Amino acid sequence: MNRRKFFKLSLQAGLVTAASQNVSGLFAKSSKKDIPLATNALRIPPVISGGDLVIAPTTFEINSGIQTNVISINNSFPAPTIRLKKGDTFSAQIKNNLTEPTVIHWHGIHAPSTMDGHPRNAIAPGDTFNLSYPIIQRAGTYFYHSHADMNTAKQSYLGMTGMFIVEDDEEKALGLPSGEFEIPLLIQDKRFDKNGQLIYAPTTADMSAGWLGDTVLINGTPPNAFLNVANTMYRFRIVNGSNARTYNIALSDGKQFTIIGNDGGLLESPAAVTSAMLAPAERLDIVVDFSGYSIGDNLFLKSLSFFYSDGPGSGTLRQGAEIDLLQFTIDRTAAKGNPIPAALSAITKFNSSDAVNNRSFQLSGHQYINSQSFDINRIDNHVPFGALEQWTITNLSESVHPMHVHGVQFQIVNPTQPSEGGWKDVVRIESFATVQVLLRFTEYTGIYLIHCHILEHEDMGMMSNFQVEQSGAVKHETNGQNEIVIFPNPASDHAFLKFPSLEKEEMLMLIDITGRVISKDILGAGITDHKLLTDKISNGSYRIILGNYEAELIVMRQ
Ligand code: C2O
Ligand code: CU
Ligand code: CU
């Protein structure tokens, strides 16, 4: 199906269901003056570390007494939270029990290209896909969701979205609020029909504005969600898992809260703010200190109203509307938590002047990058592995586009707010604005994506493939002067490499079958041999890349 056809189909689907009524009237609207109205205790999704992930059309009791049709993962809505530690191996068997193809993308996680959830790796109905890769990145709040070709929005919206939390020792040592004081908050706006079923039927206007719900669920909790808290510090890991809605996160009494992290983990230092924008797929890791409140006090986590240029689509709750998200009731005392350390993490800053390549991405309409919409088989950019690049993203449209890059965390060149510091994988690009990001692919080679994270825009084709690869044309010499001679090969603990004298400094890389770089050595000009230690790497076949030369190395230990 081409994109134009897809667009027509969604348009028809929209016409068919345009008469459906939403049931926002079923749910009492909370109001600031009438605290407390909240009636639904905040749900916390189950936590897993991998294993079977069964994607299936099931029902789930989102609203009390009503079975809602969803796409669940392991019968959970939203999907379970995956929680792992840096150094762990993430292994999963993904079973597709849907009647259509699907695939899961691990957003923000460094995964091999073939396991990253690219739509070309779709899992057919009834099939199982086994994956396994090491968690090699820093601690942070990541997430996962459907990435099916032209079907990401619907599948993610119907339930295929969950959190993916990575811990590490460095973060642990900071003594941030944990256990019952660390709460995941996955925010998603939905529309329900009068039978309590989820509506997903975007019209042409919705494809442009993005599908906006009128009912905001936190972790799938029905509206008027509350959390009873102690008068101490809490860490909230907030993921905006909405198709298109941006939130302007704040406390209802206007008090400060502290941003400690965002998309790619902890900031360098905490930032006290009274509000922070959170576009689709962005994350905010915040600490709220309830120690100044008395038992019985109530306040809300809310989204403040903000100006938004795009049209409203068919939704009744406009983009930028004020929304109460979660009511906090202070119901008990607790020891005052540790102060937040003034230094949270070390982040080496990239400099534009060090970038070896510049690339530009021009966004237009709701579906074009550099005037083209997505073609699953077309590679639009070849990005050299290991090289610092500056990407300039220019928004030539009237819509805001939160742009996301797979396989990497980047740095925004001129962040305009504290939440844009540190490592990011989504950047909000205002209408007619230009943003520059600096990035370097240092983990895997292979095909990855850049796209708008308004899921309707992604499905319409505001997405582009790029391929991370070794720079220069790799020579495959099997004999003659230019080859790398390896002995012994197979190697056990080490191998000696002999090659023609290097004309300039070159990087020697050992790459495994998934494309992951296992080791890197810089070899100076004039060098003609090298001893490569292989005692710490597992048995298997590896590629050796040295400048323009490539060779195969087998590691075989008893
Ligand atoms: Cu969260 Cu390619 O997406
Ligand atoms: Cu991603
Ligand atoms: Cu967009």
Side-chain angles (χ1 to χ4, degrees), residues 105-109 116 143 145 147 404-407 425 449 451 453:
H105 169 57
W106 321 97
H107 182 124
I109 299 282
D116 186 54
F143 76 121
H145 56 82
H147 222 291
H404 168 53
V405 185
H406 285 214
D425 57 47
L449 292 163
H451 62 86
H453 223 289

Side-chain angles (χ1 to χ4, degrees), residues 362-480:
Q362 302 206 324
L363 315 176
S364 56
H366 304 97
Q367 55 195 312
Y368 300 116
I369 298 178
N370 293 339
S371 305
Q372 289 186 300
S373 64
F374 184 61
D375 178 336
I376 196 166
N377 295 314
R378 190 188 65 228
I379 307 291
D380 296 322
N381 282 281
H382 294 265
V383 178
F385 180 90
L388 184 69
E389 297 214 335
Q390 179 162 288
W391 290 9
T392 300
I393 312 173
T394 304
N395 184 352
L396 302 175
S397 80
E398 282 173 11
S399 309
V400 177
H401 300 289
M403 296 301 291
H404 168 53
V405 185
H406 285 214
V408 76
Q409 294 288 330
F410 53 71
Q411 292 179 7
I412 298 175
V413 173
N414 287 309
T416 57
Q417 36 186 307
S419 60
E420 291 189 327
W423 294 106
K424 292 279 294 169
D425 57 47
V426 179
V427 58
R428 192 167 181 269
I429 308 186
E430 301 285 340
S431 149
F432 302 111
T434 293
V435 172
Q436 289 172 315
V437 301
L438 288 161
L439 37 66
R440 187 204 296 271
F441 292 85
T442 55
E443 309 298 347
Y444 296 102
T445 55
I447 298 172
Y448 290 97
L449 292 163
I450 175 173
H451 62 86
C452 178
H453 223 289
I454 289 181
L455 298 183
E456 286 70 30
H457 296 181
E458 173 181 341
D459 280 346
M460 277 199 294
M462 189 174 270
M463 178 153 77
S464 165
N465 280 317
F466 61 87
Q467 182 157 7
V468 177
E469 58 197 21
Q470 304 306 324
S471 59
V474 171
K475 288 179 191 162
H476 297 265
E477 304 274 349
T478 50
N479 50 44

Side-chain angles (χ1 to χ4, degrees), residues 492-533:
S492 68
D493 289 350
H494 62 265
F496 291 101
L497 313 182
K498 274 187 100 37
F499 37 83
S501 174
L502 298 178
E503 281 162 28
K504 57 181 172 61
E505 186 179 275
E506 297 280 12
M507 191 187 281
L508 174 79
M509 285 181 281
L510 189 64
I511 296 175
D512 74 9
I513 49 163
T514 71
R516 183 181 169 209
V517 176
I518 300 296
S519 73
K520 287 174 256 193
D521 291 288
I522 304 280
L523 306 187
I527 289 185
T528 58
D529 52 42
H530 181 72
K531 180 180 177 183
L532 184 70
L533 295 177

Side-chain angles (χ1 to χ4, degrees), residues 100-224:
E100 59 190 20
T102 191
V103 68
I104 297 178
H105 169 57
W106 321 97
H107 182 124
I109 299 282
H110 293 319
S113 161
T114 51
M115 302 179 199
D116 186 54
H118 191 287
R120 77 203 156 99
N121 298 118
I123 309 166
D127 278 6
T128 299
F129 178 71
N130 296 324
L131 64 77
S132 182
Y133 59 80
I135 299 297
I136 51 180
Q137 63 203 97
R138 66 205 296 257
T141 302
Y142 307 99
F143 76 121
Y144 65 103
H145 56 82
S146 164
H147 222 291
D149 192 34
M150 296 184 273
N151 212 6
T152 291
K154 187 199 74 182
Q155 291 185 352
S156 301
Y157 174 88
L158 291 179
M160 283 184 68
T161 306
M163 292 181 70
F164 196 133
I165 293 171
V166 175
E167 303 169 6
D168 67 18
D169 292 334
E170 249 176 275
E171 187 187 87
K172 210 141 241 158
L174 298 174
L176 296 166
S178 63
E180 65 170 303
F181 304 111
E182 180 202 327
I183 310 282
L185 300 177
L186 175 63
I187 309 180
Q188 299 179 289
D189 59 334
K190 307 289 180 194
R191 284 189 220 174
F192 290 93
D193 69 14
K194 60 180 184 304
N195 300 314
Q197 299 304 317
L198 288 164
I199 305 173
Y200 186 72
T203 62
T204 311
D206 292 317
M207 292 307 285
S208 300
W211 180 254
L212 296 172
D214 46 40
T215 304
V216 182
L217 307 182
I218 315 290
N219 300 340
T221 313
N224 305 323

